[in-house]
Amino acid sequence: MGKPVYAKETPDRGWGVFAGRDFAAGEFITKFDGPRVHIESMEGIPQEVWDHLLNVGPVDYVIPREPEVRTNHSCDPNVGLVDEVSLAAMRPIKKDEEITFDYSTTTVDDWHMACRCGAPCCRGWIGRYRDLPAEVKAKYEKFTPAWIKVL
């Protein structure tokens, strides 16, 4: 049996990951598989790799594989991380709906970018977890890796 998600081009955000079937709230969706790397300096890391790294610790990353590497950010996501790499539904998700998570729930370094997710609650930026407003952190309590909450 194949993965329960697939990648395809979106009309406005490049590639994205989509649900291959309906999911109930709380249900496991998929996980970020790939090599784990310990990086203290990003010097020499190719931009294509750097753009897609997933923090799994303060200086530990996963280089995600297809199709999960195509997962887009949203300030109003439908999935969240229930451990370092496993995505679960924050609410019911319909087949063919785009799967999104909040990149800030895994970001500890100074990386940041402007957000264009289009959600009504868009913060206008994506950055460090510690800089998220308290109410956003509370919303993500069950969908944020434990390691980042203690930093």
Side-chain angles (χ1 to χ4, degrees), residues 71-147:
T71 309
N72 284 320
H73 163 85
S74 177
C75 292
D76 188 21
N78 54 10
V79 304
L81 287 154
V82 292
D83 61 25
E84 294 175 345
V85 294
S86 299
L87 293 172
M90 294 176 69
R91 59 168 176 75
I93 298 171
K94 294 289 186 193
K95 182 179 182 195
D96 300 321
E97 183 177 341
E98 186 173 8
I99 302 294
T100 59
F101 82 103
D102 191 329
Y103 291 177
S104 293
T105 60
T106 64
T107 303
V108 293
D109 54 30
D110 289 332
W111 176 87
H112 63 279
M113 67 180 282
C115 182
R116 299 182 311 265
C117 73
C121 63
C122 181
R123 295 185 303 273
W125 58 271
I126 307 166
R128 296 179 298 202
Y129 175 78
R130 72 177 182 201
D131 296 332
L132 287 175
E135 63 273 10
V136 174
K137 289 179 182 177
K139 173 183 163 183
Y140 296 151
E141 179 60 30
K142 295 180 183 176
F143 298 99
T144 303
W147 67 266

